[in-house]
């Protein structure tokens, strides 16, 4: 039981490049989330998915798209990366009682 | 939307002493208040949570108190140990587990345990 896994762990992009952050959970949870964490800030919600095929915007969705591929996987895509998207990205899933977080992806946009 | 304030931003205590971190929230509809511990380079890990139908919850050296009238909740760590050094986040939500709005987090407290 690996919990919530994320790939890659680290990534450096140039402004304007695109990439997809991958997240998977093996706990059979329906709900999944993407957050970003910036220095001196708490985590802020980017997108939420209640189940396969459904997604909703969170507090800071601009510049991002998501795909809930199946119950296990929830990906976050940056179509045209900007320096303001330099951050640590965390994926989470919930059993409607507790939210479990992955180890994070540290993204730098130059 | 919900707003969570957390204090202090940094807390340094002697090993064996107690540590207290305080949070306030703005939305009276919030009912779920988890605390997460984040070690360097890792994701947040839940250490304790409390729901609005109770005022206090304890798990060994860790306790959380909730005052719904005043809209504040606190984390208490007793007999602190070096492995307690980390960043601690409080959060609030209307729903257990976060629901559609996710969790609203405070900005974190860097707890330093001095030997």
């Amino acid at each position: 039981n690996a919990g919530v896994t994320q790939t890659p762990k680290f990534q450096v992009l140039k402004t304007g490049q695109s990439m997809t952050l991958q997240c998977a959970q093996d706990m059979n949870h329906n709900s999944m989330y993407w957050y970003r964490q910036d220095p001196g800030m708490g985590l802020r919600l980017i997108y939420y998915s209640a189940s396969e095929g459904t997604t909703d915007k969170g507090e800071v969705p601009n510049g991002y798209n998501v795909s809930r591929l199946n119950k296990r996987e929830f990906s976050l895509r940056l179509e045209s990366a900007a320096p303001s998207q330099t951050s640590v990205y965390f994926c989470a899933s919930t059993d409607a009682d507790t939210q479990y977080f992955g180890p994070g992806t540290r993204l730098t946009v130059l | 939307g919900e707003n969570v304030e957390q204090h202090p931003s940094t807390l340094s205590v002697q090993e064996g002493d107690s540590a207290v971190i305080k949070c306030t929230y703005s939305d009276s509809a919030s009912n779920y208040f988890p605390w997460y511990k984040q070690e360097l380079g890792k994701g947040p890990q839940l250490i304790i949570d409390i729901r609005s139908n109770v005022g206090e919850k304890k798990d060994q050296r860790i306790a959380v108190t909730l005052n719904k009238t005043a809209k504040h909740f606190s984390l208490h760590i007793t007999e602190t140990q070096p492995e307690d050094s980390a960043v601690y986040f409080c959060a609030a939500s209307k729903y257990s587990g976060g629901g559609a709005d996710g969790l609203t987090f405070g900005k974190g407290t860097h707890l330093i345990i001095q030997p």
Side-chain angles (χ1 to χ4, degrees), chain A residues 31 33 35 37 40-45 48 56-57 90 94-104 106, chain B residues 32 36 38 41-46 49 51 89 95-108:
Chain A
S31 298
Y33 305 82
Y35 292 87
Q37 183 179 35
M41 306 277 289
L43 284 74
R44 292 181 292 167
L45 182 65
Y48 161 69
D56 288 293
K57 294 179 180 179
F90 289 100
T94 183
D95 56 6
D97 187 61
T98 300
Q99 219 169 99
Y100 300 88
F101 286 82
R106 184 173 293 275
Chain B
Y32 175 63
Y36 283 84
Q38 186 177 29
K42 296 185 178 180
Q45 183 175 15
L46 180 75
D49 57 16
R51 290 166 177 80
F89 291 95
Y95 312 103
S96 288
D101 296 331
L103 299 173
T104 300
F105 285 85
K107 293 185 178 181

Side-chain angles (χ1 to χ4, degrees), chain A residues 49-108:
Chain A
S49 172
S51 61
E52 181 181 349
T54 68
T55 60
D56 288 293
K57 294 179 180 179
E59 180 186 352
V60 288
N62 290 345
Y64 305 97
N65 286 301
V66 290
S67 295
R68 183 73 182 271
L69 307 169
N70 48 54
K71 193 170 187 178
R72 288 188 67 246
E73 298 172 289
F74 188 33
S75 62
L76 179 72
R77 182 160 178 84
L78 287 70
E79 291 290 352
S80 179
S84 60
Q85 294 179 304
T86 293
S87 189
V88 182
Y89 292 86
F90 289 100
C91 177
S93 69
T94 183
D95 56 6
D97 187 61
T98 300
Q99 219 169 99
Y100 300 88
F101 286 82
T105 294
R106 184 173 293 275
L107 175 67
T108 301

Side-chain angles (χ1 to χ4, degrees), chain B residues 19-38:
Chain B
V20 181
I21 302 170
K22 298 181 178 182
C23 289
T24 60
Y25 63 98
S26 62
D27 189 347
S28 57
S30 289
N31 284 308
Y32 175 63
F33 307 93
W35 286 89
Y36 283 84
K37 176 183 181 182
Q38 186 177 29

Side-chain angles (χ1 to χ4, degrees), chain B residues 70-85:
Chain B
K71 296 202 197 78
H72 67 70
F73 56 113
S74 300
L75 177 71
H76 304 253
I77 305 174
T78 59
E79 301 172 10
T80 52
Q81 301 169 4
E83 53 265 35
D84 294 330
S85 292

